[in-house]
Amino acid sequence: MVKNIVDTGRTIVCTIHQPSIDILEAFDELFLLKRGGQEIYLRPFRHHSKHLIKYFEAIQRVRNIRDGYSPTTWMLEVTVSAHELSLGVDVVGIYKNSNLYRRNKALNEDLSKLAHGTKEFYFPTEYSQSFLTRCTACLWKKNWLY
């Protein structure tokens, strides 16, 4: 279903937790966050997770993935805080000091620039409706539910 939506030209952002490799490899890009929302990996995703595996195997003291082992399980195992502590590794710090991080930041800055002749979005208020309208809608909805 998700692939059908993507085929119409739309972008989909999903949060997935411990996906199977088949599900993970259906995505074009992987943005991996550690508990607490810290970035530890962001890169286009390729078949058999080779970029992901190569990135994490390059970290000193991180054990290589075993043949036939799920890359998603391995990735979660090597990035969990307890494992990092036992190895003396900081995957957040390693990512923030990596060329991959610098490349992603430069790309983000480049894509964030306004096109020539365009203006920033401007919204006169924080909400599209007044406080009274929002309260009325919430009260109506709660009344309808009860």
Side-chain angles (χ1 to χ4, degrees), residues 74-106:
W74 174 77
M75 165 191 63
L76 293 170
E77 288 173 359
V78 299
T79 60
V80 72
S81 296
H83 190 258
E84 283 184 86
L85 283 172
S86 70
L87 296 177
V89 172
D90 174 25
V91 293
V92 174
I94 290 169
Y95 176 70
K96 293 221 181 212
N97 291 311
S98 71
N99 289 330
L100 180 60
Y101 177 79
R102 286 187 285 281
R103 183 182 62 91
N104 288 333
K105 283 297 180 194

Side-chain angles (χ1 to χ4, degrees), residues 16-75:
I16 50 177
H17 180 71
Q18 293 183 310
S20 70
I21 192 63
D22 295 330
I23 291 173
L24 191 62
E25 288 185 348
F27 290 90
D28 296 324
E29 293 194 39
L30 175 66
F31 183 29
L32 185 60
L33 299 174
K34 187 177 173 171
R35 174 175 253 161
Q38 298 169 301
E39 298 175 40
I40 57 175
Y41 184 82
L42 171 60
R43 186 170 184 163
F45 205 68
R46 300 290 183 249
H47 188 61
H48 298 303
S49 317
K50 58 185 163 192
H51 293 301
L52 174 77
I53 292 168
K54 184 178 176 183
Y55 175 80
F56 282 107
E57 283 184 341
I59 298 173
Q60 290 183 356
R61 297 186 294 277
V62 170
R63 65 175 167 75
N64 290 353
I65 190 169
R66 296 186 307 260
D67 286 338
Y69 202 70
S70 167
T72 56
T73 303
W74 174 77
M75 165 191 63

